């Protein structure tokens, strides 16, 4: 029976909330949260800049491998158990960090962190939101993605305080404990699709006739039309650039400002401000996209992201207001790197190709993060700092915007957005 059950709260919003917790763990804690620990790991265990950056590389390698297997993984275990297991891998990663005595131990922990990120990041969340929502889809993806930004707000001052007042190991134990609690909640509340609750996606009835009219009056290119090889190449380049910007770019902000003489608590404050803005604007980006479309919203946010990276190159001035402005701009611009991929996939392909397109673009995203993860540390060792690194990131942001413009303009000749 296709009649929507009348409930006070559509269960999809609960799934959305739990997916927000999932990204708080997999992206905000296990991935981005490592940036809080990196200066202390390097100092306490005598690692070089290159070795410290290599932990990010190793995590990205295992994330990439996990994403290659993610389709079969979720076919076998389902989204409920699969997302719960992914979160539990985060607990295991921080327990391994807590027992590490040197570089090798952190490599093992980073590998487990990569599995957590690869199995539990935007791919399952995007597919779940695509299943549960027709209306407000970009908004819900933005809300979920805000989970990683929330971690960037909450974690830096708390973890920095624990490290300074207690120990690095105590901070690792703290993270492992709350990640375990979140993993249990995720397993208890996630449902694979609306049918499992006797429901159908939110907005299906309201948009059904509108969708049919659009398809009947559209150009000869159908909803199931594939993308050309040239378009895929540009999308791959765009996704690779996004992976480099969102992972190594964000992860090394602490290294940038610490190496330029900012105090630990000032750096923690900068990360928190970036996280506050990032969290808010992931939701804003989703809402703006629902209103003006993926192309226009992404173009505006990309320009802001470019400006943020340019201002990072002025960190040598040791100006806290200037540093604050740079992280605010980055916080506004970064949402395109996470929320953007499912938005672009939805714009450029039909519903039947959505999951496959998201998976392929996320693989390219992970490849970009993996390839560029060690580059900042290597460049810093050779060039004496991280400012040249952020000049490269600014250039990558420009390349990303150009790829986006070319892809959308080419696709607009085939179908109407």
């Amino acid at each position: 029976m296709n009649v929507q059950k009348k409930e006070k709260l559509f269960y999809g919003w609960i799934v959305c909330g739990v997916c927000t917790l999932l990204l708080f763990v997999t992206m905000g804690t296990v991935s981005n949260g490592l940036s809080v620990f990196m200066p202390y790991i390097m100092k306490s265990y005598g690692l070089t800049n290159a070795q410290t950056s290599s932990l990010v590389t190793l995590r990205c390698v295992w994330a990439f491998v996990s994403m290659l297997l993610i389709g079969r993984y979720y076919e076998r275990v389902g989204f409920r158990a699969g997302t719960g297991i992914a979160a539990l891998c985060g607990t295991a990663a921080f327990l391994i960090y807590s027992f590490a005595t040197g570089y090798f131990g952190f490599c093992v922990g980073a590998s487990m962190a990569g599995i957590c990120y690869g199995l539990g990041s935007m791919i399952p969340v995007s597919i779940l939101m695509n299943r549960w929502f027709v209306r407000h889809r970009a908004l819900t993806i933005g809300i979920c993605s805000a989970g990683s930004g929330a971690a960037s707000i909450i974690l830096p001052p708390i973890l920095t305080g624990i490290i300074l007042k207690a120990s690095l190991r105590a901070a690792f134990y703290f993270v492992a404990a709350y990640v375990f609690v979140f993993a249990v909640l995720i397993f208890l509340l996630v449902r694979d699709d609306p049918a499992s609750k006797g429901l159908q996606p939110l907005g299906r009835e309201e948009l059904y006739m509108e969708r049919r009219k659009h398809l009947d009056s559209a150009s000869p290119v159908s909803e199931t039309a594939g993308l050309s090889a040239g378009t895929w190449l540009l999308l791959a380049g765009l996704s690779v650039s996004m992976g480099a910007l969102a992972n190594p770019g964000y992860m090394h902000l602490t290294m940038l400002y610490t190496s330029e003489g900012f105090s630990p608590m000032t750096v923690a404050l900068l990360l928190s401000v970036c996280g506050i803005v990032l969290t808010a604007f992931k939701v804003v980006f989703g809402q703006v996209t629902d209103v003006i479309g993926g192309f226009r919203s992404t173009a505006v946010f990309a320009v802001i992201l470019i400006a943020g990276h340019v201002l990072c190159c002025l960190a040598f001035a040791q100006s806290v207001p200037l540093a604050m402005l740079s992280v605010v701009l980055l916080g506004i611009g970064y949402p395109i790197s996470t929320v953007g991929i499912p938005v672009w996939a939805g714009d450029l392909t039909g519903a039947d190709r959505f999951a496959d397109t998201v998976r392929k673009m996320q693989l390219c995203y992970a490849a970009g993060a993996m390839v560029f993860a060690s580059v900042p540390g290597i460049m810093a060792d050779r060039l004496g700092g991280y400012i040249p690194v952020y000049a490269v990131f600014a250039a990558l942001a420009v390349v990303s915007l150009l790829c986006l413009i070319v892809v959308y303009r080419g696709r607009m000749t085939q179908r109407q957005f």
Side-chain angles (χ1 to χ4, degrees):
M1 190 172 182
N2 292 327
V3 178
Q4 184 84 26
K5 288 184 177 180
K6 298 295 183 181
E7 295 185 354
K8 292 183 178 180
L9 177 67
F10 178 60
Y11 195 82
W13 291 111
I14 296 176
V15 177
C16 177
V18 177
C19 285
T20 304
L21 287 183
L22 176 65
L23 294 186
F24 186 100
V25 169
T26 60
M27 294 180 66
T29 299
V30 176
S31 178
N32 298 340
L34 182 61
S35 64
V36 178
F37 294 102
M38 287 171 65
Y40 303 102
I41 292 172
M42 185 173 72
K43 182 179 179 181
S44 299
Y45 294 88
L47 276 59
T48 66
N49 283 301
Q51 285 178 319
T52 306
S53 290
S54 73
L55 298 178
V56 181
T57 302
L58 196 57
R59 190 204 71 213
C60 292
V61 168
W62 280 98
F64 183 79
V65 172
S66 299
M67 287 181 183
L68 286 174
L69 304 174
I70 198 169
R72 187 173 302 175
Y73 171 75
Y74 279 106
E75 285 177 5
R76 290 280 185 90
V77 303
F79 284 88
R80 182 183 182 186
T83 52
I85 293 170
L88 282 177
C89 289
T91 296
F94 278 89
L95 287 177
I96 294 169
Y97 289 149
S98 69
F99 290 108
T101 58
Y103 177 62
F104 177 75
F106 284 104
C107 286
V108 176
S111 300
M112 183 59 69
I115 295 172
C116 171
Y117 178 83
L119 296 179
S121 57
M122 286 302 295
I123 296 177
V125 169
S126 299
I127 294 172
L128 283 169
M129 292 304 97
N130 193 58
R131 289 181 175 184
W132 279 92
F133 293 90
V134 172
R135 195 177 294 277
H136 305 307
R137 186 175 294 158
L139 174 62
T140 57
I141 292 173
I143 292 172
C144 293
S145 184
S148 62
S152 300
I153 300 171
I154 298 169
L155 294 182
I158 293 176
L159 295 180
T160 301
I162 294 174
I163 293 169
L164 295 178
K165 293 179 180 179
S167 67
L168 184 59
R169 183 166 293 178
F172 288 142
Y173 285 143
F174 171 76
V175 173
Y178 80 72
V179 168
F180 176 77
V181 173
F182 283 6
V184 173
L185 289 174
I186 290 164
F187 174 74
L188 291 176
L189 296 176
V190 165
R191 295 295 183 272
D192 284 30
D193 51 48
S196 64
K197 297 288 289 184
L199 302 170
Q200 58 183 339
L202 183 65
R204 172 178 285 177
E205 297 109 325
E206 295 90 335
L207 292 184
Y208 179 76
M209 293 307 298
E210 179 183 334
R211 181 181 292 268
R212 292 312 311 168
K213 288 180 181 178
H214 171 74
L215 290 177
D216 291 341
S217 61
S219 61
V221 178
S222 71
E223 272 301 286
T224 60
L227 301 177
S228 68
T231 300
W232 267 117
L233 184 61
L234 289 169
L235 280 178
L238 174 60
S239 301
V240 167
S241 296
M242 289 295 100
L245 294 173
N247 279 270
Y250 178 85
M251 291 290 294
H252 287 84
L253 283 173
T254 54
M255 304 299 290
L256 169 68
Y257 288 109
T258 298
S259 65
E260 293 300 326
F262 289 77
S263 69
M265 290 309 296
T266 299
V267 174
L269 175 63
L270 290 173
L271 282 184
S272 290
V273 169
C274 185
I276 292 170
V277 178
L278 179 61
T279 301
F281 274 85
K282 283 183 176 180
V283 179
V284 171
F285 178 72
Q287 185 62 43
V288 170
T289 298
D290 280 334
V291 175
I292 68 173
F295 174 67
R296 293 185 181 89
S297 61
T298 307
V300 171
F301 279 68
V303 171
I304 295 172
L305 183 62
I306 293 167
H309 283 105
V310 170
L311 288 182
C312 282
C313 298
L314 302 179
F316 64 87
Q318 296 186 348
S319 167
V320 174
L322 190 60
M324 194 69 69
L325 178 59
S326 69
V327 298
V328 167
L329 293 177
L330 289 177
I332 295 173
Y334 272 139
I336 64 172
S337 63
T338 49
V339 185
I341 286 179
V343 167
W344 306 327
D347 279 352
L348 299 169
T349 61
D352 58 336
R353 294 177 181 266
F354 177 82
D356 185 57
T357 303
V358 167
R359 182 182 64 82
K360 289 177 180 177
M361 292 180 69
Q362 284 287 346
L363 278 171
C364 293
Y365 176 97
M370 177 175 62
V371 169
F372 283 91
S374 292
V375 171
I378 294 171
M379 288 183 65
D381 283 338
R382 294 188 177 183
L383 301 177
Y386 286 88
I387 289 176
V389 174
Y390 280 83
V392 172
F393 287 141
L396 279 176
V398 173
V399 171
S400 300
L401 178 56
L402 294 176
C403 288
L404 178 84
I405 291 172
V406 174
V407 166
Y408 269 86
R409 282 188 174 179
R411 196 61 170 167
M412 282 174 184
T413 62
Q414 298 176 310
R415 42 183 301 201
Q416 183 69 34
F417 291 102

